[in-house]
Amino acid sequence: MKMILCKKYILMLFLGGLFLLGGQQSLIAQTANSLAKQATKDHASARYADAVWKLVNALNKKPTHDKAIDQMSRSFPAAIKQAESNIDRLKTSSATFSGPQTVNQREQVYTSYEALIHLIDAVRNLPEVKGKKSKKTLDFQYPSYQEEVREAQQQIASAKSDAAKMMYERGKRLMDQGGVDNNKSAAKSFKQAMEYVPGYQDASMLYAEARKAGTTRIAIIPFENISGKDHFGAIGQLITDEVIGSMLNNSASMEFVEIINRDQLEILLAEQNLGSSGRIQEGSAAEVGKVLGVHKIITGKITQIMTKTGPVTNRRYQVSKNVVIRKEKYLNDKGKERYRNIYGDVLANITAFQQSSSATIVGSYKLLDSQTGRLLDSKAFNETYTFDQSWGEGTGDERALGSTETSLLGRKQQAPPSDEEMVNSARQRVVNSVSQGVMSYVR
């Protein structure tokens, strides 16, 4: 069976490759006539620029195409008029600075001019065009927008300067109000000011100052393992370290978050006579937070670690298919020998095997406000890694096999992962869940 199945897959891949190749060739091989027809539809729908680009393509292929030339004489002037009208609307709406959106609008004016110039150059650089039957040519006046482009650039620079000033002044007002959240917003405003105008005034210095004041400092206490399963190593400490590592790798989210280092944490735990248990409750959170100088404390525990490797189960069934089983010779009306297909059912007996192994880690974590000792959030986690496998054996006629059976018979039984490997995979799921939950609060 295996050799035949392999040949079937090769044939499927070969036919699929031919299909994809044929699709690409059909796109490349568009004729000038089909492009001209598409352009006519675009023009009717007021998509004048799209029509012009298709006509440019058509006339580069065939400079004597009458319909393309005739359509270009209508679509090109319409495209210019439409583009200029859109630009005028953008200019009107962005004439007076009203905020960062003005920068975007003025940038759209500039890019619209650039697109229009690109379109004009494409038409200007066409080969000599002359209709085969009509003898019609293209005679356009090609406008220049160089002065308008320079003015658009100046308008962008002016808007960016105004936006930088707005963000800078907003940042200073927020800093004056004080508090972690206001300083965080202030830092973001100073950063925006520098994005509009690099090196704007002393925004860099103020950003650093506001960022420091707007940073949330957190302590993550090593998760306590009370599952009774100690043979998987220091899994609580591993989860804690990996949560910290996952958070630190997300540099964008960590802009306003600082995690206290392990050395400081271990000293605190010893001083508070907690050892490595991590049993910090709401009542002691404020005291611990004050000693460490942190805003939030995360504690967690693992309550269950379960592993399971199930038995191998099997299901026996039969498949059939109506196929050509032989060719039969016969004489047609003129007495000539011919052959016809004789169909019949073929059968195959299948035994499908299945086995499932899994590891589950159950626990919870708390987020405490170390300034007030208040419980901000408490979440449970129940993460499972599952290893499922299926394979099969079969006898009978291979022609009876469907795609499901072909795939099944092509697989062999594998040794399931060890308990330790599955627990490690489940642990990674816990890390992802906890780190995402923590970041949603502290960033």
Side-chain angles (χ1 to χ4, degrees), residues 232 307 309 357-359 385 415-425:
F232 295 113
T307 59
T309 296
S357 304
S358 64
Y385 166 79
S418 66
D419 286 356
E420 184 176 359
E421 289 172 327
M422 292 192 296
V423 168
N424 286 339
S425 296

Side-chain angles (χ1 to χ4, degrees), residues 351-424:
T351 303
F353 298 95
Q354 281 189 320
Q355 186 180 35
S356 181
S357 304
S358 64
T360 300
I361 300 177
V362 180
S364 63
Y365 66 94
K366 295 179 180 179
L367 182 67
L368 304 170
D369 186 328
S370 56
Q371 306 297 307
T372 64
R374 184 167 61 91
L375 176 65
L376 297 175
D377 191 29
S378 178
K379 288 186 177 178
F381 53 81
N382 186 329
E383 299 294 338
T384 299
Y385 166 79
T386 302
F387 176 79
D388 290 320
Q389 62 171 324
S390 58
W391 67 100
E393 296 176 355
T395 59
D397 197 312
E398 294 163 351
R399 293 174 296 175
L401 302 179
S403 59
T404 300
E405 289 73 35
T406 297
S407 175
L408 197 65
L409 297 179
R411 296 194 292 267
K412 290 183 176 294
Q413 182 182 12
Q414 302 177 45
S418 66
D419 286 356
E420 184 176 359
E421 289 172 327
M422 292 192 296
V423 168
N424 286 339

Side-chain angles (χ1 to χ4, degrees), residues 1-5 8 346-348 396-402:
M1 281 190 183
K2 291 182 180 177
M3 184 178 295
I4 292 178
L5 297 180
K8 287 181 180 177
V346 292
L347 305 175
D397 197 312
E398 294 163 351
R399 293 174 296 175
L401 302 179

